[in-house]
Amino acid sequence: MNTSLLAPQRLSGVPDTLRLPSRDTRTSLVDRIALRIGLQLLIWGTRTPRLTDDRERHARARRAHVENTTRQHGYLREALLAPRP
């Protein structure tokens, strides 16, 4: 069955959505500032602080650094205090 004849017909053939009155398409300064602030707040709120996520890894790296430094100082101390032949 052909339904095109049953649909409401417009004389101009232009859909109603295209015949909207023209309006200003620019966004106001206040709206742009509010959108920018909102976006920055969203980005800031979804961040993950480095130290809270990597607390265990940070502690392991710190212990390894302290152990390496202690070992190097011990080696240098022994090398400097060793009797010379």
Side-chain angles (χ1 to χ4, degrees):
M1 181 168 111
N2 190 358
T3 58
S4 64
L5 296 176
L6 301 176
Q9 302 294 315
R10 292 183 180 80
L11 298 176
S12 67
V14 178
D16 286 337
T17 56
L18 297 179
R19 289 192 288 153
L20 292 175
S22 65
R23 59 185 179 147
D24 191 14
T25 59
R26 291 176 287 178
T27 308
S28 69
L29 179 64
V30 174
D31 288 339
R32 283 185 283 161
I33 292 172
L35 286 171
R36 185 167 295 233
I37 290 171
L39 180 62
Q40 293 301 321
L41 285 174
L42 282 173
I43 291 171
W44 182 79
T46 57
R47 80 194 192 302
T48 53
R50 183 183 59 85
L51 189 57
T52 58
D53 281 350
D54 302 334
R55 189 174 298 275
E56 183 63 33
R57 186 170 58 103
H58 181 74
R60 271 188 274 129
R62 174 75 178 147
R63 280 193 303 268
H65 176 69
V66 169
E67 290 170 1
N68 286 339
T69 304
T70 305
R71 189 170 42 253
Q72 288 172 358
H73 285 197
Y75 173 78
L76 290 174
R77 184 175 190 279
E78 290 295 324
L80 291 174
L81 293 178
R84 297 184 185 249

